[in-house]
Amino acid sequence: MQRNATTQYPILLVHGLFGFESIGNIALFHGIKQALRQAGARVFIPYLSATHSNELRGEQLLAQIDRVLAGTGAAKINVIGHSQGALAARYAAAMQPKKVASVTSVSGPNHGSELADYLRKALIPDRLPEHVAATVATLFAEFLSLLSGHPQLPQNAIAALNALTTESVGTFNDKYPQGLPNTWGGTGKELVNGVRYFSWSGILKGSLVDEGPNLFDPLHSLCRAFSRYFTTEAEENDGLVGRYSSHLGTVIRSDYPLDHMDTINQTAGLVRKGVDPVDLYVQHAERLRNLGL
């Protein structure tokens, strides 16, 4: 059956930490842009710094929203942000709500990441390990930007780490509270200042030995390893972000059996059974279309 995801406004897919559009044949949102376009949506992937603060990445996003609006003649944009990309999307909508029709957070750390808290405590400011980690991570981000064709983008790994801790995101939320739940684990207002807010995310379920073919996915194994550093949401996280920390606006679902990278279809289409991450995006575009967005 032919799907109809012909949204009124174009869709921007915004990457998170260490993200990019594509490097060679490797697309970060694997198969997602193509599926949305086949269903009738106009889809763009902006290029943002792979590592930097939420506000700087948000300003970069605003500049590219203007380019898409000018190029398409559209009045607004539907923004779907994965991971830290959700925070950039929220910033853009808070600063320029008339240009944004909807913000959708996919596995977004909307209340911070416990993994970032652990790393921040481990890397004591002005101590040698922090300098080494910052240099290596920033060089890696610069390398990714070079390979993806955007070497001019500024990179700052420590700014990115600081931006993702629960304390820093709390400060961010005080400035840009649109769509946030009033209670932990609750839902937020869907419509704020003319912008609609949505979210979905996944959690790790069972043990690694229960994963079948997914056992051989190195990204999934990495998420399993990172999951050990969660305490508040020890049994309810995707390896990088806690389930309830991801809530924003109307929560479509926050316990899909997907890890953090599965939600952008990284290797998931090859090894995972059951939930189709790509179809979640097409379903959501249909949802936006039905809302006149």
Side-chain angles (χ1 to χ4, degrees), residues 56-275:
L56 184 137
R57 297 179 83 247
E59 286 293 333
Q60 293 173 338
L61 177 58
L62 280 171
Q64 293 187 64
I65 286 174
D66 285 340
R67 293 191 187 99
V68 172
L69 294 179
T72 62
K76 296 183 178 182
I77 293 291
N78 291 304
V79 188
I80 301 177
H82 176 255
S83 194
Q84 192 187 8
L87 301 178
R90 288 176 50 199
Y91 175 89
M95 298 301 290
Q96 295 287 344
K98 292 184 179 180
K99 297 179 180 180
V100 179
S102 70
V103 167
T104 303
S105 166
V106 179
S107 302
N110 293 305
H111 295 272
S113 168
E114 290 187 70
L115 178 62
D117 291 345
Y118 176 85
L119 292 174
R120 181 64 280 175
K121 290 177 182 177
L123 299 174
I124 301 172
D126 299 323
R127 295 288 183 86
L128 183 61
E130 184 195 56
H131 293 306
V132 172
T135 299
V136 171
T138 299
L139 286 173
F140 179 62
E142 290 174 347
F143 181 61
L144 290 176
S145 293
L146 176 64
L147 292 180
S148 63
H150 302 289
Q152 77 284 3
L153 294 173
Q155 308 294 339
N156 189 323
I158 294 301
L161 174 60
N162 291 339
L164 294 171
T165 64
T166 54
E167 181 179 2
S168 291
V169 176
T171 301
F172 179 87
N173 288 344
D174 289 340
K175 298 176 182 177
Y176 318 108
Q178 293 85 346
L180 289 172
N182 290 324
T183 58
W184 180 251
T187 60
K189 290 183 179 180
E190 180 176 309
L191 183 63
V192 184
N193 295 335
V195 182
R196 290 188 180 272
Y197 289 85
F198 305 90
S199 61
W200 78 76
S201 59
I203 60 172
L204 298 168
K205 295 189 176 182
S207 64
L208 188 59
V209 295
D210 299 324
E211 289 290 338
N214 210 36
L215 173 68
F216 303 103
D217 175 6
L219 293 177
H220 182 73
S221 297
L222 194 62
C223 287
R224 288 275 178 183
F226 287 153
S227 179
R228 296 199 301 266
Y229 298 102
F230 285 73
T231 54
T232 302
E233 298 196 78
E235 302 297 328
E236 301 279 337
N237 67 81
D238 65 7
L240 274 77
V241 174
R243 173 184 180 180
Y244 296 127
S245 180
S246 74
H247 283 198
L248 182 75
T250 293
V251 180
I252 296 165
R253 183 175 170 183
S254 60
D255 65 343
Y256 285 112
L258 300 169
D259 67 39
H260 194 75
M261 300 306 294
D262 285 342
T263 51
I264 49 174
N265 201 38
Q266 282 299 309
T267 69
L270 301 177
V271 298
R272 181 170 289 286
K273 304 295 182 182
V275 178

Side-chain angles (χ1 to χ4, degrees), residues 126 159 228 277 280 286-287 291:
D126 299 323
R228 296 199 301 266
L280 296 182
E286 292 174 331
R287 182 180 294 112
L291 289 169

